[in-house]
Amino acid sequence: MKLPPLVQSFVLHFGEMGSRWGINRTVGQIYALLYVSPGPLNAEQIVEALGVSRSNVSMGLKELQAWNLVLLKHIPDDRRDYFTTPDDVWLILRTLAEERKKREVDPTLSVLRELLMQTAGSEDERHAQARMAEMHGLIERLTTWYEDVKRLETERLAALLALGAKVTRLLEAKDKVVGLVRPRKGG
Amino acid sequence: MKLPPLVQSFVLHFGEMGSRWGINRTVGQIYALLYVSPGPLNAEQIVEALGVSRSNVSMGLKELQAWNLVLLKHIPDDRRDYFTTPDDVWLILRTLAEERKKREVDPTLSVLRELLMQTAGSEDERHAQARMAEMHGLIERLTTWYEDVKRLETERLAALLALGAKVTRLLEAKDKVVGLVRPRKGG
DNA sequence: CCGTCATTTCAGGAATTTCTGAAATGGCGA
DNA sequence: TCGCCATTTCAGAAATTCCTGAAATGACGG
């Protein structure tokens, strides 16, 4: 692997983190490399930069495409495929959230729904179902919230984040203020 | 593995999902079993329920304890260790979020900070650093938000979730309303 | 101190995942 | 059609992770 020191450290870190993120070392490294590279790279350039086999790079790119984390570009008069990551980190975040939800949450949600439809045959099963219902309820709240906020434009999303927990204060304020501005009929 | 069908399906699902969640099959199964069980279980009971080795259960429980996902209980006149999961699914969610952040986010944040301190020696390194700064900025926003909302009592957190994207409307309303209720001095 | 029981550790085997080189596929121009 | 080049596929090797049984550790009562 021959890369500028800064880039190399970054790439190696993503490789190491790979397993924790549910991807393998090579995939992590390819992503990191594309992310910091000034322009699109082709497979051969990735091979040289990372020192892994051509086929490994091919598989890694395929996986990154399945995650929608990588863009395929074409350069005029060059029939090789070139790859980049989206420039916008917020878009990357959205993609990541969407894909992780699809892989890590949705299957469980659907299993839970299925199991909750069945009839419990014993006291233990009844209890188990109650627990599953709790889990299902929580996941559904979270995903509903997610489906909701993911539609916000980035600017509003950022504003929301910046506000953080202060929104609740706003919520409390609302109740009072609404009373002031629009006194209740029955008041 | 001898378990009521409903429980068995649930346990098997968690086992299969294990790899996607960054834990192994046995750990996933143990967690699922404890989660739906009506009371605490000891290691031997888990061995029987799941049909895995005693040592495997021991390691699995150790890992779950490292994740703070499991509680150690003691039963009078019984010197074996008994285990449960917390009852409150919101607490489980908080723990999960905290631990995943610790393992999956914090290390990257710290590497990014370190790399951003260094001096770029080339144009490519300068560009790489700019990209890292973008990533760092985003992660920091997210973690700041998280640190903020995680302190909310569950009830408020739930209210916040229920509100979802509607908060932004509230935000817009605020600007108007503040004008009405507390007219600016400089008006 | 022992003996007993519960738990942990750990070496090595089993299973799974990752990676590679070689062969296959596919597009394109001559 | 053929040759060329880029990419993909895939069988098996390499690496890693997971799991087990056996031995070690530790706690407790006698």
Side-chain angles (χ1 to χ4, degrees), chain A residues 19 25 43-44 54-55 58-59 62 79-81:
Chain A
S19 54
R25 187 170 62 243
E44 201 51 51
R54 180 65 183 76
S55 51
S58 176
M59 292 188 298
K62 219 178 93 188
R79 61 189 171 98
R80 287 169 296 181
D81 293 342

Side-chain angles (χ1 to χ4, degrees), chain B residues 83-94:
Chain B
F83 299 89
T84 9
T85 60
D87 283 338
D88 179 6
V89 288
W90 289 90
L91 176 58
I92 295 173
L93 173 69
R94 286 166 192 269

Side-chain angles (χ1 to χ4, degrees), chain A residues 13 17, chain B residues 102 104-118 136 139-140:
Chain A
H13 173 75
M17 293 299 285
Chain B
K102 199 191 301 175
E104 302 184 3
V105 179
D106 291 352
T108 297
L109 207 45
S110 109
V111 165
L112 285 173
R113 275 200 247 276
E114 195 191 318
L115 294 179
L116 287 171
M117 299 282 291
Q118 298 180 20
H136 178 267
I139 298 178
E140 211 165 45

Side-chain angles (χ1 to χ4, degrees), chain A residues 27-77:
Chain A
V27 172
Q29 291 184 351
I30 294 175
Y31 183 80
L33 177 63
L34 292 176
Y35 177 80
V36 297
S37 289
L41 301 179
N42 65 41
E44 201 51 51
Q45 293 174 306
I46 298 171
V47 166
E48 282 168 36
L50 302 183
V52 298
S53 75
R54 180 65 183 76
S55 51
N56 199 4
V57 168
S58 176
M59 292 188 298
L61 286 169
K62 219 178 93 188
E63 178 162 358
L64 285 171
Q65 282 177 292
W67 277 83
N68 280 310
L69 282 172
V70 132
L71 298 171
L72 178 57
K73 293 230 166 188
H74 279 114
I75 290 185
D77 302 325

Side-chain angles (χ1 to χ4, degrees), chain B residues 17-65:
Chain B
M17 292 300 283
S19 55
R20 301 199 191 178
W21 294 94
I23 59 178
N24 66 41
R25 186 170 62 242
T26 309
V27 172
Q29 291 184 351
I30 295 175
Y31 183 79
L33 177 63
L34 292 176
Y35 178 80
V36 296
S37 289
L41 301 180
N42 64 42
E44 202 51 51
Q45 293 173 306
I46 297 171
V47 166
E48 281 167 36
L50 302 183
V52 298
S53 74
R54 181 66 184 74
S55 52
N56 198 5
V57 168
S58 176
M59 292 189 298
L61 286 169
K62 220 179 90 188
E63 178 160 0
L64 285 170
Q65 282 177 290

Side-chain angles (χ1 to χ4, degrees), chain B residues 15 50 65 83 95 98 101 104 135 163 169 176 183:
Chain B
L50 302 183
Q65 282 177 290
F83 299 89
T95 306
E98 191 65 21
K101 171 177 177 297
E104 302 184 3
M135 183 181 285
L163 208 57
R169 273 186 241 155
K176 287 184 217 152

